[in-house]
Amino acid sequence: EQLAAGESSSASSEPLFCSLPIRMVGFCFALHSSCFDLVANRGDLHRGSLANRAIRDALPDAFARACKASDEVAERALSFLGDPVADPFWRTARDGILEQLSNVACIQTVGGGFRRPDQVLIRGSGALRRVYELFTAKLV
């Protein structure tokens, strides 16, 4: 194919974009919404936006549904939450997810299975640790 006069053969392909990451908020999973309202420089969410608050507030239920739909997600649920979220805007979502996880088998037991938080004792310090040291895992 020949180029017409004035055309350049140096044109290169460009990537297709749907949306770009905004910033890290502390979760170990991606959250995507084409409905987020951004600040003018597009580097952060608009915190006062009702749309952004609605998306944030819907996150705990969506996360719980994902856990109920997939044992693999449920078993990794706590690791997906990461460390406590420092950003107050997202802290309420994390707290809501933790509340929803009370009905999800997301705690791995000594035997390797997974149970709901209300079905297990967490080893740690104090009396529970002493009980665990005294009795076998099957008894505790």
Side-chain angles (χ1 to χ4, degrees), residues 15-57:
L16 176 67
F17 288 90
C18 178
S19 62
L20 296 172
I22 300 166
R23 68 183 196 87
M24 306 297 275
V25 296
F27 297 124
C28 297
F29 60 89
L31 176 60
H32 171 77
S33 174
S34 59
C35 299
F36 279 135
D37 290 332
L38 303 178
V39 295
N41 71 4
R42 302 189 58 79
D44 203 356
L45 294 179
H46 185 284
R47 304 263 188 249
S49 163
L50 292 177
N52 290 346
R53 289 176 186 217
I55 294 165
R56 176 203 60 197
D57 294 345

Side-chain angles (χ1 to χ4, degrees), residues 21 37 43 46 50 59 63 70-71 77 84 92 96-97 100 102 109 111 119 124 129 132 138:
D37 290 332
H46 185 284
L50 292 177
L59 183 57
F63 193 92
S70 168
D71 289 340
T92 58
I97 290 170
Q100 291 282 341
S102 66
T109 64
Q119 296 174 318
R129 183 177 196 97
Y132 185 78
K138 288 183 181 181

Side-chain angles (χ1 to χ4, degrees), residues 52-126:
N52 290 346
R53 289 176 186 217
I55 294 165
R56 176 203 60 197
D57 294 345
L59 183 57
D61 287 335
F63 193 92
R65 284 194 310 273
C67 289
K68 288 176 182 168
S70 168
D71 289 340
E72 186 176 324
V73 173
E75 292 169 1
R76 297 183 58 206
L78 294 176
S79 65
F80 286 140
L81 287 183
D83 295 326
V85 176
D87 185 335
F89 183 83
W90 291 105
R91 196 174 307 132
T92 58
R94 185 177 195 277
D95 292 346
I97 290 170
L98 287 171
E99 187 175 314
Q100 291 282 341
L101 290 180
S102 66
N103 298 316
V104 175
C106 61
I107 305 290
Q108 188 168 21
T109 64
V110 173
F114 286 84
R115 300 279 186 214
R116 291 189 326 258
D118 65 345
Q119 296 174 318
V120 298
L121 294 174
I122 307 294
R123 283 190 292 165
S125 60

